[in-house]
Each structure stands twice: as C-alpha cells, then as structure tokens.
Amino acid sequence: MWDKHRLPTQIHLPALGQCWNLSHQAETTPRSQLRAIPSENHLIYTGTPAEVWPLLQRWFISMAKTHVLPELHRLAMLHADPLAGSGARWNHTRWGSCSRAGRINLSARLLWLEPAEVNYVIHHELNHLHHFDHSLVFWQALETRLPGAKLLDRGLRHASRRASFPVWLALI
C-alpha cells in the first residue's frame, strides 16, 4: 500500500500519452498550492501531501474536462447524438454515466486508460442517449457504431487493477 504521506514524483496519464513530473517547492504562502507548467509537463506543489491530494484530484478532473470532454462533444456532433451537457467527476465505480436528460458525466479516472478504451467509454455513454439500457439492441447499436466494442467492454471490467493504475489513486 502507498504511504499517504508521500506523493508520487511522476504521474503517467496513458489516455493522454503524457507523463508529468511532480515536485515540492518551499512554501511561500500559508496555503497549499498546486501549479501546473504545461509546457514542461511539470506540477509544483507547496504544503503537505495530505493537503495536496485534494488539489491533485481537482487537477485530474480539470485535465479530464480539458482533454476528454472535447472528444465527447466532437463525437456527439459527428453522430448527431442529442447530448444535453457533460461533466467530469472523480467516480470510483463507474467510468461514465448518462442521465435521462441527456447529460453525460465521465470519470477523471479515465486518464489511466488507454486511448482506445477512453474512446469506447465515450461511445458507450453516447449510445445511451439512444438506448437507455444494456439490452441486446443497445449492444448491437454500439457494435455498429464502434466495431469491437464488446471486446473492449470485457477488457475494462478489471482495468483499475492494471499496473497502469497507480496504487496511490486509492488515496484520492
């Protein structure tokens, strides 16, 4: 188990093909902070690890909103899906969800999946805008929309147990 009093020094985000360095800076303010330098893929924090874990969670959600949600909207437009809105959250049990009102929420934990798996989750949730269940019709439509979808679905069942999912994610 990961020590909650220690932060990782590198954060790999397979979905984005990015690796970020995380380093500590001597405190210059009384509040803990997390600052991103995107041009260097570098995160700098002040404060204790216990104070920084929630800041990292917010940063991961922000990364999902910035990098994953635009693809959700692009595919919705491409397939003329009636998407009413979207969001990113820190879900532990679901990769995504779709409301009857047409809003899709995706888990920021998607950042640790492979790009093809993220694409699958997006298509899966968009397909719920037309079939609000997991009936045979849903799976047939999803397979038409994304050939190989059922195989990708099987691979996701235990994805959070893979080596690409850092043990420290459980602390967030």
Side-chain angles (χ1 to χ4, degrees):
M1 186 64 178
W2 188 271
D3 178 6
K4 68 180 177 181
H5 302 291
R6 189 180 85 185
L7 293 167
T9 57
Q10 286 194 326
I11 298 171
H12 297 275
L13 303 174
L16 308 180
Q18 296 180 2
C19 180
W20 288 72
N21 291 312
L22 180 64
S23 62
H24 184 261
Q25 181 179 20
E27 294 187 38
T28 56
T29 64
R31 289 182 29 202
S32 297
Q33 294 181 336
L34 181 67
R35 184 170 51 101
I37 304 172
S39 62
E40 300 175 17
N41 282 13
H42 193 177
L43 295 169
I44 300 170
Y45 68 92
T46 61
T48 67
E51 296 166 329
V52 175
W53 287 117
L55 299 177
L56 278 171
Q57 180 188 54
R58 284 198 293 270
W59 183 76
F60 294 137
I61 292 169
S62 170
M63 289 293 281
K65 286 178 178 178
T66 302
H67 296 282
V68 180
L69 293 186
E71 182 64 5
L72 172 74
H73 286 269
R74 185 187 75 75
L75 288 171
M77 286 185 64
L78 181 69
H79 294 278
D81 297 319
L83 180 63
S86 66
R89 297 182 177 161
W90 191 258
N91 297 340
H92 287 278
T93 58
R94 294 180 182 215
W95 299 116
S97 63
C98 178
S99 74
R100 290 201 181 270
R103 180 174 174 81
I104 292 177
N105 285 303
L106 298 174
S107 174
R109 295 176 72 233
L110 288 171
L111 296 172
W112 284 273
L113 295 179
E114 293 300 320
E117 294 169 323
V118 175
N119 185 51
Y120 162 76
V121 171
I122 290 171
H123 279 287
H124 181 108
E125 296 308 327
L126 287 170
N127 198 45
H128 277 308
L129 296 171
H130 305 281
H131 309 281
F132 204 75
D133 57 21
H134 285 114
S135 66
L136 180 59
V137 173
F138 168 87
W139 289 108
Q140 288 170 339
L142 183 57
E143 196 66 36
T144 299
R145 177 186 190 114
L146 182 67
K150 194 71 168 163
L151 186 62
L152 285 164
D153 181 73
R154 277 189 229 117
L156 280 178
R157 296 199 188 274
H158 302 290
S160 61
R161 295 183 190 149
R162 290 188 207 146
S164 62
F165 272 77
V167 293
W168 50 260
L169 275 182
L171 298 174
I172 297 178

